[in-house]
Amino acid sequence: DTEVTQTPKHLVMGMTNKKSLKCEQHMGHRAMYWYKQKAKKPPELMFVYSYEKLSINESVPSRFSPECPNSSLLNLHLHALQPEDSALYLCASSQDRAGGTEEETQYFGPGTRLLVL
Amino acid sequence: AQSVTQLDSHVSVSEGTPVLLRCNYSSSYSPSLFWYVQHPNKGLQLLLKYTSAATLVKGINGFEAEFKKSETSFHLTKPSAHMSDAAEYFCVVSEGLFGFGNEKLTFGTGTRLTIIP
């Protein structure tokens, strides 16, 4: 089973709202990722968690706040977003961090489509 | 540093004819290479991966790719296109340098595959 689930599938929020995106995997993977994808563009990495610790933050604005409560769950807390933050937010997981082995293969969830008004 | 070039932004083929999606990469180390497919309004699905084993890699749905180090290429092929193959395809490289923060994947800009009935 290589399933990563994400909720909600769609989200509309105002610029003053606080919302959260949720990602879950039960494959025993120890690395989890958040990506942002704009229309007709490849995904852009936002955050990487490895063994429940934040290992990479790609200079993401503080209005995006990631959280990894346990090895199966990854959240992305959203606050005071801007309309340009509207995008597809993808979560991914891999068995381990990069190492030139099978363990680095990332499996993606279906994404949450976010619209900020 | 690693990089990926997808040589065609858009490819159109007739149903039942061969598919060729071209990808060239640049890497300072022995890379891992992946092809992902993204259907409209969906997440990314792993098609196949090369991680230093056999150079000819078979994936799902009849796709395969050949790793050619001398040409730094990893082209994706399928003998006979099906209507359901219409999607965006991303070639992805990972240098797999454990401990160097290289959990990052580098994505190509994508190739949109259109199937003509």
Side-chain angles (χ1 to χ4, degrees):
Chain A
D1 182 14
T2 55
E3 187 178 28
V4 176
T5 59
Q6 290 186 243
T7 54
K9 290 185 178 178
H10 302 274
L11 179 63
V12 180
M13 60 186 292
M15 289 188 284
T16 58
N17 291 158
K18 284 186 180 180
K19 296 286 184 182
S20 296
L21 309 184
K22 180 180 173 182
C23 173
E24 196 165 1
Q25 57 86 15
H26 294 288
M27 297 177 278
H29 288 179
R30 303 314 298 263
M32 297 185 76
Y33 312 77
W34 279 116
Y35 288 84
K36 173 183 177 180
Q37 186 180 25
K38 302 286 277 186
K40 302 187 186 302
K41 296 288 187 184
E44 298 174 359
L45 183 66
M46 300 174 71
F47 302 104
V48 180
Y49 273 83
S50 180
Y51 290 82
E52 301 165 45
K53 287 185 170 32
L54 183 65
S55 63
I56 291 180
N57 176 342
E58 289 287 279
S59 302
V60 179
S62 59
R63 57 185 184 268
F64 294 92
S65 175
E67 178 196 19
C68 189
N70 60 58
S71 60
S72 300
L73 278 176
L74 185 66
N75 297 321
L76 186 63
H77 303 298
L78 314 173
H79 174 54
L81 293 194
Q82 303 297 309
E84 59 264 29
D85 297 322
S86 299
L88 180 67
Y89 288 84
L90 294 164
C91 174
S93 71
S94 63
Q95 188 169 338
D96 208 330
R97 290 164 53 172
T101 67
E102 297 281 323
E103 284 72 33
E104 68 178 328
T105 303
Q106 292 186 25
Y107 296 92
F108 286 80
T112 293
R113 188 161 297 281
L114 174 67
L115 177 62
V116 182
L117 300 176
Chain B
Q2 58 195 25
S3 67
V4 178
T5 302
Q6 289 185 245
L7 297 160
D8 306 293
S9 60
H10 189 199
V11 170
S12 291
V13 302
S14 297
E15 189 177 16
T17 64
V19 175
L20 170 64
L21 304 184
R22 298 182 295 166
C23 173
N24 285 98
Y25 70 92
S26 172
S27 174
S28 303
Y29 302 93
S30 296
S32 296
L33 292 157
F34 309 83
W35 276 99
Y36 285 88
V37 61
Q38 187 173 32
H39 288 92
N41 300 311
K42 300 289 185 184
L44 276 73
Q45 181 183 18
L46 180 67
L47 268 182
L48 50 78
K49 57 189 175 185
Y50 166 78
T51 53
S52 72
T55 56
L56 182 61
V57 182
K58 293 189 185 299
I60 61 172
N61 301 334
F63 284 94
E64 63 181 37
E66 186 171 8
F67 174 72
K68 290 187 177 180
K69 187 174 181 179
S70 60
E71 298 176 11
T72 61
S73 69
F74 190 58
H75 301 332
L76 182 70
T77 60
K78 181 174 181 177
S80 177
H82 191 273
M83 293 300 295
S84 61
D85 295 328
E88 189 84 17
Y89 291 78
F90 292 101
C91 182
V92 180
V93 64
S94 168
E95 286 189 322
L97 295 177
F98 183 81
F100 287 83
N102 269 44
E103 295 88 345
K104 301 179 192 181
L105 302 180
T106 298
F107 285 79
T109 50
T111 298
R112 178 161 297 278
L113 178 63
T114 299
I115 311 298
I116 303 165

